Structure formats: structure tokens, C-alpha cells
Amino acid sequence: MTNATRLDIFADPVCPWCLIGKVELDRALESRPDHPFAITWHPFRLNPQMPRQGMDRVAYLRAKLGDQAEDAGRALAERAASLGLTLNPSPREPDTTDAHRLMHWAGLEGAQDRVMEGLLRAHWQEARDIGDADTLVSVAEAAGMDGAVTARLLASDADRDEVMQREQHARQRGVSSVPTFVVADAHAISGAQPASLWQQVIDEISAASR
């Protein structure tokens, strides 16, 4: 791709709006096959204090949202249904540190988009625990990565500090929620934006580069 435009995405696969946001972005990209974006996904844990073993999802939502949990769930389900998505989330709310390590390694192999798609599908549609090493290995393999190598890396502390430093850098830059999209290292867009907005952004960038 010539004259590529950076699109940095700060996301966490347990964030429902990251799922919605990716689906909307993907639809825009599919409608603009000559889009200028070079996409990089960056780590940003929604729940940095989550225990390594995770916790029960219902208990987590009650603790975080209280009486608003049911309304939030309804709004999410409606938005998902409008995109043709059926949600079947994991009963466990996981620690996503290892999922972000996997995304880091996927970036080295050009597999980030496939891995993020696999993580989102596993957590939100297949009720799988993406804090579990076996689940992460299967996601990696489905994305074309080496499962045995991934398993060995997950069993170690490889790149844990690197991922944490990248997340801290994002927070220092002002990222405070996910998804956050940064276009050309200059323009930040927060939240799950509709495909129509991304189509407009792509068209504007394309027109300016002519």
C-alpha cells in the first residue's frame, strides 16, 4: 500500500463496544477496498485490576454497573442485533493480559486483525474464556500462528513488561476508554462509530491525497 495512513486502535477484546466498533469498521473497509489505512492494534486493559483467574461475569457486571447492568446489556444486545450479531458471552470475565501478549506477537507476524477477530468471537459469541492459555493457543492457530510456540510463550513472562509499558504509554497520551481510534497519529475518535462515519473519513483522506 502506498501513502498508507496509520490507524492505531486501542482496544480490549472483553469490551463489547470494541466488538461493535470492529464490525462497523470492517464493513466500511470492505466497502472501500482501496482504503488507505495501515492498522495497528494496541493493548489497553479495560480491567487492569482483574485477578489472574478472572471472575464470574454476572458478579463483575453487578459490581461495576449495579442497577444499570440490565439496561446496558439490553442496549448492547440491540446494537449487536442491528448488525446481525448474536451474543453468547463467556460466563467468565477474564484477565486479558495474556490476550494482549498474544496480540503483540500477532503484530510481529502480521496476524493482528485475525487474532483480534478470533478473541472477540471467542469471548462474545462462543462463551470461551480468553484468559485460558488453551483458548488463546486455539485462537492463534486459527489465525495462522504456531500453536506450540504460542503455548511456550504464554507459559513464560515473555513480553509482559512490553505490553504493560505500551498500555501505560497509551494512558499517558490521554487514552482513557476503548475503543479509541487514532487516525494519522493526530485525530482521535472514541467509541463504536458507524460504518458510515468511517466511509466518510476514508473518502476524505482519499480525496485529499489525489
Side-chain angles (χ1 to χ4, degrees):
M1 183 188 303
T2 59
N3 299 320
T5 298
R6 283 179 59 104
L7 178 58
D8 295 293
I9 308 176
F10 298 84
D12 192 338
V14 296
C15 165
W17 301 109
C18 292
L19 168 68
I20 301 298
K22 185 178 187 306
V23 171
E24 294 276 19
L25 174 62
D26 284 348
R27 292 190 177 185
L29 298 181
E30 289 167 6
S31 73
R32 303 289 192 273
D34 295 327
H35 70 82
F37 289 139
I39 297 172
T40 301
W41 293 85
H42 298 275
F44 194 96
R45 291 172 300 167
L46 193 61
N47 310 302
Q49 306 305 319
M50 180 65 66
R52 286 292 298 273
Q53 70 274 17
M55 65 184 294
D56 177 78
R57 173 176 165 76
V58 173
Y60 162 77
L61 290 175
R62 285 176 179 164
K64 183 171 184 176
L65 300 175
D67 295 339
Q68 298 178 330
E70 187 172 334
D71 289 342
R74 187 179 304 112
L76 171 62
E78 290 175 356
R79 181 76 179 272
S82 73
L83 295 171
L85 300 175
T86 299
L87 301 183
N88 178 32
S90 171
R92 297 292 296 173
E93 190 71 16
D95 170 20
T96 55
T97 302
D98 284 347
H100 285 299
R101 288 204 293 156
L102 174 59
M103 282 293 292
H104 173 71
W105 303 323
L108 302 177
E109 299 190 25
Q112 274 198 324
D113 200 65
R114 297 191 300 275
V115 168
M116 178 56 81
E117 186 171 327
L119 291 169
L120 289 166
R121 182 171 58 250
H123 179 76
W124 286 106
Q125 297 181 279
E126 299 173 347
R128 299 166 71 192
D129 181 3
I130 60 171
D132 175 73
D134 290 341
T135 299
L136 294 175
V137 168
S138 71
V139 168
E141 289 177 333
M145 298 175 66
D146 188 304
V149 171
T150 301
R152 287 199 298 272
L153 289 170
L154 287 169
S156 73
D157 284 329
D159 296 314
R160 186 179 299 274
D161 288 346
E162 168 74 14
V163 169
M164 296 301 96
Q165 288 170 5
R166 288 178 61 193
E167 178 182 307
Q168 183 60 28
H169 179 63
R171 294 182 187 276
Q172 291 171 347
R173 288 180 62 191
V175 177
S176 60
S177 63
V178 288
T180 293
F181 305 85
V182 180
V183 181
D185 205 29
H187 307 288
I189 303 172
S190 298
Q193 301 297 331
S196 58
L197 179 140
W198 288 114
Q199 290 168 335
Q200 180 181 345
V201 171
I202 291 169
D203 292 345
E204 290 176 356
I205 293 173
S206 298
S209 66
R210 291 191 187 116

